[in-house]
Amino acid sequence: MMPILNIALIEGRSNEQKEALIREVTDACVRALDVKPETVRILLQDIATQDFGVAGESVKAKRERLA
């Protein structure tokens, strides 16, 4: 079986952070699902702060308001 994981992130993470996430999530799948690392597929999606809302306002608007 080939696990396919789709992870949505609010934009702003570095490439190094994303690489670390891919490694750690792959390792977790290997341990939890008893699969080989080469079968794990991970899709990272950056979501713009304007396109993600919490409690009635976008993350962008909230960050600007709190700045």
Side-chain angles (χ1 to χ4, degrees), residues 1-66:
M1 291 196 283
M2 181 188 315
I4 302 170
L5 294 93
N6 187 357
I7 302 172
L9 302 167
I10 294 177
E11 65 185 352
R13 275 35 177 240
S14 70
N15 289 337
E16 292 79 15
Q17 289 173 312
K18 292 177 185 180
E19 289 292 337
L21 178 61
I22 290 169
R23 279 192 306 276
E24 294 291 332
V25 170
T26 298
D27 290 346
C29 284
V30 168
R31 288 190 309 273
L33 302 176
D34 193 29
V35 296
K36 294 181 180 185
E38 54 271 11
T39 67
V40 179
R41 306 291 187 262
I42 298 173
L43 174 64
L44 300 181
Q45 294 178 305
D46 276 336
I47 300 173
T49 57
Q50 183 62 46
D51 297 334
F52 187 82
V54 177
E57 70 180 328
S58 71
V59 170
K60 180 180 180 180
K62 183 173 184 173
R63 287 179 179 174
E64 289 171 354
R65 182 174 51 80
L66 296 175

